Amino acid sequence: MDDYAILLQSIKRRVSQAQLNAFRMANAELILLYFDIGMTIHKNQKIESWGTGLIPRLAKDLKNEFSEIKGFSVRNCQFMVQFYLEYKNEFKNAKQPASQLADSDSRSNAKQPVSHLSGIAFAAIRLSWTINVALIQKIKDKKIRLWYMNQAYENGWGREVLLNMIKSNLHQRQGKLVNNFDVTLPHDQSLMVREMLKDPYIF
């Protein structure tokens, strides 16, 4: 390989890494936004005059205001409330901007302050919204859920792969399996990143 080809490969890797970091930061921001909206809705549902009618009214007005974004359906707003109720204790200290909550695993040179987040909150901001919703719906035990969250991240699973792994009770067979599953993809081309790009907030 000549010097130019080496230079080109180096720049391409840098661009790909920058894109991946941007996706991660946008995804973390989305998760925190949905958590905050869920908290706001839940607290305001206690106001007697709004009650259960709040979500349909709010969803309609948000869709009218942000017509280019498809993340404000009644169903998704209900998921936001559910997400808040599931993780309100884990996210209670998450007050910093999402740009400071981006991934800081060993594959990234970026060092981000995430020590104030619990394990499950940190895991949640690394996964797409659709995967977070699927995990809440399918797994009630938070210890088992966290295991799947970490596996989904490490192996780059998309939603369908994750659901297949849950259906097969992978967590019960973990001691019998090697870590490099057939579905593992290169990290910068993973199904998980594709899942993030499907979320309506990330454009």
Side-chain angles (χ1 to χ4, degrees):
M1 185 179 293
D2 61 28
D3 291 343
Y4 176 78
I6 294 171
L7 173 65
L8 179 61
Q9 285 298 111
S10 174
I11 293 174
K12 286 169 63 177
R13 281 194 300 270
R14 181 67 187 89
V15 170
S16 295
Q17 186 61 52
Q19 288 178 320
L20 183 57
N21 289 342
F23 294 152
R24 287 171 174 166
M25 286 190 289
N27 184 72
E29 188 71 51
L30 174 70
I31 301 304
L32 290 175
L33 171 67
Y34 282 178
F35 176 85
D36 188 61
I37 292 173
M39 176 179 65
T40 303
I41 292 173
H42 177 70
K43 290 182 176 180
N44 282 281
Q45 279 179 320
K46 296 177 181 178
I47 298 174
E48 186 175 350
S49 61
W50 289 347
T52 58
L54 175 60
I55 289 180
R57 179 181 176 185
L58 194 59
K60 179 181 177 181
D61 288 337
L62 286 172
K63 283 194 289 187
N64 287 338
E65 182 69 25
F66 303 104
S67 57
E68 72 282 3
I69 300 177
K70 298 180 181 179
F72 297 116
S73 66
V74 170
R75 182 175 173 81
N76 208 39
C77 288
Q78 291 168 338
F79 285 146
M80 293 176 204
V81 174
Q82 187 179 5
F83 184 81
Y84 163 71
L85 293 174
E86 284 285 323
Y87 298 136
K88 59 185 178 181
N89 293 326
E90 288 83 355
F91 274 87
K92 62 184 177 181
N93 294 321
K95 301 298 183 185
Q96 298 186 23
S99 60
Q100 297 180 14
L101 301 175
D103 177 45
S104 61
D105 66 39
S106 59
R107 288 172 296 219
S108 172
N109 293 324
K111 301 296 182 183
Q112 305 289 353
V114 295
S115 59
H116 64 288
L117 287 176
S118 72
I120 204 163
F122 177 52
I125 65 169
R126 300 195 301 175
L127 299 172
S128 72
W129 176 245
T130 53
I131 287 180
N132 273 296
V133 170
L135 284 162
I136 288 174
Q137 290 180 312
K138 297 296 182 181
I139 303 175
K140 299 307 175 187
D141 186 312
K142 285 189 178 179
K143 290 182 180 178
I144 297 174
R145 188 188 298 165
L146 178 58
W147 186 86
Y148 278 103
M149 293 169 95
N150 289 331
Q151 291 296 314
Y153 177 78
E154 292 297 329
N155 294 286
W157 295 342
R159 182 177 180 276
E160 294 308 313
V161 173
L162 171 67
L163 292 176
N164 286 334
M165 295 301 180
I166 293 172
K167 187 176 181 181
S168 69
N169 291 313
L170 180 66
H171 67 284
Q172 294 177 351
R173 300 181 288 115
Q174 62 178 313
K176 302 176 184 178
L177 295 175
V178 296
N179 290 327
N180 188 18
F181 302 105
D182 291 338
V183 295
T184 300
L185 297 172
H187 190 65
D188 60 348
Q189 299 174 3
S190 70
L191 292 170
M192 186 174 56
V193 172
R194 294 176 205 169
E195 290 283 345
M196 288 179 185
L197 291 174
K198 292 179 185 177
D199 282 321
Y201 179 84
I202 301 174
F203 36 102

